Amino acid sequence: MSKIQMKTPIVEMDGDEMTRILWQWIKDILLNPYVELKTEYYDLGLKEREKTKDKVTFDSAEATKKYGVAVKCATITPNAARMPEYNLSQMWKSPNGTIRAILDGTVFRTPILVKGVEPYIPTWTKPITIARHAYGDVYKNTEMRVAQGSKAELVVTDKNGNETRELIHDFSSSDGIIQGLHNLDKSISGFARACLNYGLDLNQDVWFATKDTISKKYDHRFKDIFQEIYDNEYKEKYEAAGIEYFYTLIDDAVARVIRSHGGYIWACKNYDGDVMSDMVSTAYGSLAMMTSVLVSPDGIYEYEAAHGTVQRHYYKHLKGEETSTNSVATIFAWSGALRKRGELDNIPELCSFADKLEKATINTIEDGVMTGDLYMISKLNNRKKVNSKEFLIEINNRLADMMK
Ligand code: NAP
Ligand code: MG
């Protein structure tokens, strides 16, 4: 059998701990036998970030801009405990944060559904993809405690020095608190375009919600920007694709999400996305079954698993003990990147390989062969727990049949 050939490289970002081990096994067992992988390799493992003073992270993001598609392994975001462990000269910033800032992207998280692992909400038969606006609001706030007897005002000084003032509150009867928030038209527009593009990519409706009835200027601006961009740039494409952009109030959206069957993209303001993504991912069953893709407004894609480096399993692995770590989200990061590369470069065999890889992975679990995390929550009767490597070999048994 001849291997599938690629044209343009995928930017490959290697990572840390247990996911780094899985990364190599996935390539050896599931990818290299079928695809002549063409990647531009960047090692974002913490050792290499320390060695290059984090330059490698910036270089990998620039390469992603150049080639348009990346796949990333989970990486350690250093905390105090990692400083002596890796002998770090600095507490390097989260690579995901650095890459997101350079690509100005939006993160979309989608659960992978398999039979036997039922969502806590039984009507959710299709995945709900959450997109979180990753700029501003309460995450870039200024806040103060205010003593009784004070008066708090909002003051904006324009470029000519003219002031506009609004009373926030006269704290005559009690001590209190205040908070200043902001967002940028440019950032909201980028977010709106990333979400509306991704809707076209997945051929799914896009929902967006704010509290515009209460926040008549702030939240209303979000609503207006989304609507203007939709009307001017997307309406015709959405109608042709038979999908829709749907706006409602955030509390109404939450109620509708619970009653829905899934199968849409839910665009969330920063705080809503923070809270709702944890709710939605938990309700679908397992963090290890959640994929994540960073999409920039100009159509650059970086695929990864939503979970971290699974440190506890890695320490077991280092001691020579058997692990049963779930590689599904990392496999889907690869299949997502390969499919996108295939679409952009017009290589149908590569897209078809990505489909088969995902199908083989899901079939393995639905046949009852799974890692420990799923074994604990699956309702299948004849299920069997396998170790990290056996799981990949089982997937390949099925994939090899499909590739014949
Ligand atoms: P984590 O790696 O996601 O793991 C948390 C726990 O969830 C694990 O201990 C494990 O539970 C379970 N789990 C997660 N993924 C799993 C998988 N694939 N298979 C089986 N079980 C899985 O989060 P963390 O322990 O908080 O963080 C570890 C490191 O990852 C940190 O250094 C953090 O900075 C980094 N991190 C990176 C990213 C990223 O690169 N995108 C995201 C998050 C965290 P049990 O131990 O109970 O089996
Ligand atoms: Mg959260």
Side-chain angles (χ1 to χ4, degrees):
M1 192 188 70
S2 64
K3 289 193 194 183
I4 298 164
Q5 299 296 315
M6 295 175 62
K7 291 175 189 160
T8 322
I10 288 174
V11 176
E12 175 184 352
M13 304 170 177
D14 208 343
D16 288 299
E17 300 194 310
M18 198 59 211
T19 42
R20 186 181 180 97
I21 307 289
L22 297 178
W23 195 259
Q24 193 57 52
W25 289 349
I26 290 169
K27 284 170 61 180
D28 291 346
I29 298 170
L30 296 174
L31 305 178
N32 287 330
Y34 307 100
V35 181
E36 195 65 56
L37 271 186
K38 216 173 177 185
T39 72
E40 192 161 301
Y41 180 85
Y42 292 86
D43 185 357
L44 301 197
L46 188 48
K47 277 186 200 147
E48 191 64 19
R49 279 182 275 151
E50 168 65 26
K51 207 167 118 193
T52 63
K53 304 288 170 226
D54 209 25
K55 183 173 178 297
V56 65
T57 307
F58 289 82
D59 290 349
S60 72
E62 290 304 331
T64 304
K65 271 187 168 170
K66 177 172 164 197
Y67 292 113
V69 182
V71 58
K72 180 179 171 291
C73 179
T75 47
I76 293 168
T77 299
N79 57 13
R82 301 293 194 172
M83 298 296 285
E85 184 184 355
Y86 284 84
N87 199 9
L88 299 180
S89 60
Q90 261 190 61
M91 211 185 277
W92 304 110
K93 285 193 181 147
S94 147
N96 288 58
T98 302
I99 295 164
R100 195 165 62 213
I102 293 174
L103 300 182
D104 183 25
T106 298
V107 174
F108 297 86
R109 285 181 154 207
T110 309
I112 300 154
L113 304 193
V114 291
K115 289 200 195 75
V117 180
E118 311 303 337
Y120 288 98
I121 315 275
T123 47
W124 288 2
T125 50
K126 288 180 266 179
I128 297 170
T129 295
I130 290 220
R132 173 179 171 189
H133 184 210
Y135 179 83
D137 300 352
V138 72
Y139 302 87
K140 271 204 185 290
N141 72 355
T142 308
E143 44 185 37
M144 289 181 204
R145 291 181 60 173
V146 180
Q148 183 182 354
S150 314
K151 186 171 79 171
E153 291 175 301
L154 208 53
V155 182
V156 174
T157 312
D158 73 15
K159 59 186 172 201
N160 302 318
N162 305 315
E163 287 185 354
T164 311
R165 283 172 184 270
E166 291 254 17
L167 179 69
I168 295 171
H169 192 72
D170 195 336
F171 290 83
S172 52
S173 65
S174 170
D175 293 351
I177 41 183
I178 59 165
Q179 185 176 59
L181 308 183
H182 82 279
N183 221 301
L184 304 173
D185 284 9
K186 184 169 173 273
S187 173
I188 301 165
S189 305
F191 176 56
R193 289 196 179 92
C195 293
L196 292 165
N197 278 337
Y198 204 57
L200 287 171
D201 264 4
L202 299 192
N203 204 45
Q204 288 183 357
D205 294 348
V206 173
W207 295 18
F208 182 52
T210 72
K211 196 70 186 176
D212 68 279
T213 48
I214 299 297
S215 173
K216 291 186 164 57
K217 296 219 170 78
Y218 197 99
D219 276 22
H220 214 290
R221 188 74 194 127
F222 279 83
K223 177 185 178 182
D224 290 345
I225 288 176
F226 263 75
Q227 194 64 50
E228 281 162 26
I229 289 179
Y230 174 73
D231 289 341
N232 295 333
E233 301 170 29
Y234 292 90
K235 196 166 188 291
E236 282 168 21
K237 290 180 209 155
Y238 269 56
E239 283 169 0
I243 54 177
E244 67 170 19
Y245 166 65
F246 172 65
Y247 177 85
T248 185
L249 285 171
I250 183 68
D251 36 353
D252 181 50
V254 170
R256 285 172 187 264
V257 164
I258 295 296
R259 290 197 305 265
S260 78
H261 295 286
Y264 51 86
I265 296 160
W266 185 11
C268 290
K269 284 182 64 197
N270 210 347
Y271 177 84
D272 300 337
D274 184 350
V275 177
M276 290 304 158
S277 64
D278 285 355
M279 187 198 70
V280 168
S281 62
T282 306
Y284 275 107
S286 170
L287 186 59
M289 298 290 281
M290 186 70 70
T291 60
S292 177
V293 51
L294 176 74
V295 183
S296 82
D298 39 352
I300 292 165
Y301 294 75
E302 183 246 307
Y303 294 84
E304 63 179 314
H307 60 76
T309 60
V310 211
Q311 182 181 16
R312 201 181 62 82
H313 296 212
Y314 180 59
Y315 288 164
K316 277 178 73 180
H317 173 82
L318 286 182
K319 280 193 266 173
E321 291 171 33
E322 188 167 86
T323 60
S324 183
T325 314
N326 188 333
S327 46
V328 171
T330 307
I331 294 169
F332 273 62
W334 273 103
S335 58
L338 290 168
R339 182 184 297 107
K340 178 54 72 181
R341 195 71 274 170
E343 283 168 14
L344 294 174
D345 293 351
N346 195 16
I347 313 173
E349 315 87 82
L350 197 56
C351 300
S352 155
F353 172 75
D355 294 344
K356 286 174 182 155
L357 175 57
E358 291 180 359
K359 186 99 180 63
T361 303
I362 288 173
N363 286 357
T364 304
I365 300 167
E366 294 186 344
D367 287 346
V369 180
M370 57 192 80
T371 47
D373 57 314
L374 294 181
Y375 183 82
M376 282 195 296
I377 58 174
S378 169
K379 297 203 168 64
L380 291 184
N381 290 323
N382 294 321
R383 63 185 194 276
K384 172 172 113 175
K385 177 181 162 180
V386 291
N387 70 34
S388 307
K389 200 172 216 170
E390 283 163 357
F391 182 61
L392 296 170
I393 291 168
E394 286 276 359
I395 295 172
N396 185 48
N397 291 341
R398 289 159 181 81
L399 180 61
D401 272 349
M402 293 180 184
M403 293 300 291
K404 263 181 198 151

